[in-house]
Amino acid sequence: LLIVENTELSILKIKGITKEHLETKVKISGEITSIKETPGLLILQVKDSTGKIDVIIFKNKKINITKNIQVEIEGEIQEYKNKLQIAANKITLLRGS
């Protein structure tokens, strides 16, 4: 049994995300550079000063998000077609962006 009290994830640089992080929760901060919409999900490309990564958002309601805004994203690292991505479970829009 593991009991955890609201552990806060520290922000990880995108370049530092590796296959060792598969199926673990991470937090990144960066700018949305592209948005691709499919029937069931949104695919965001997020970049920071070290690199870029795709972020998957499963849509269950209308999401109002735009390019060129700064965000913090928490989610789980997954691999799709031999490429790492984040399945988001929390997105925070950073003010002033």
Side-chain angles (χ1 to χ4, degrees):
L1 175 66
L2 179 64
I3 300 174
V4 178
E5 281 188 34
N6 196 13
T7 43
E8 182 69 24
L9 293 170
S10 57
I11 294 175
L12 188 61
K13 294 289 184 189
I14 292 172
K15 184 179 180 181
I17 297 173
T18 67
K19 289 190 178 195
E20 291 177 5
H21 293 100
L22 276 175
E23 299 185 18
T24 62
K25 294 198 182 305
V26 296
K27 182 179 188 179
I28 63 165
S29 179
E31 178 185 344
I32 297 173
T33 59
S34 73
I35 302 171
K36 181 178 176 184
E37 190 164 357
T38 69
L41 52 90
L42 288 175
I43 303 169
L44 311 178
Q45 187 168 81
V46 178
K47 74 168 186 172
D48 68 8
S49 62
T50 68
K52 53 189 170 185
I53 193 166
D54 287 341
V55 176
I56 308 306
I57 303 170
F58 294 97
K59 297 189 299 186
N60 53 9
K61 61 181 177 181
K62 178 94 172 111
I63 299 171
N64 185 19
I65 202 159
T66 59
K67 285 177 28 175
N68 304 319
I69 59 171
Q70 295 290 320
V71 291
E72 274 186 4
I73 296 174
E74 291 182 30
E76 184 177 298
I77 299 296
Q78 299 177 340
E79 188 173 17
Y80 179 71
K81 293 188 177 179
N82 215 22
K83 193 173 161 191
L84 296 177
Q85 63 185 22
I86 298 174
N89 57 31
K90 180 180 177 184
I91 297 178
T92 305
L93 304 180
L94 300 178
R95 297 293 168 221
S97 56

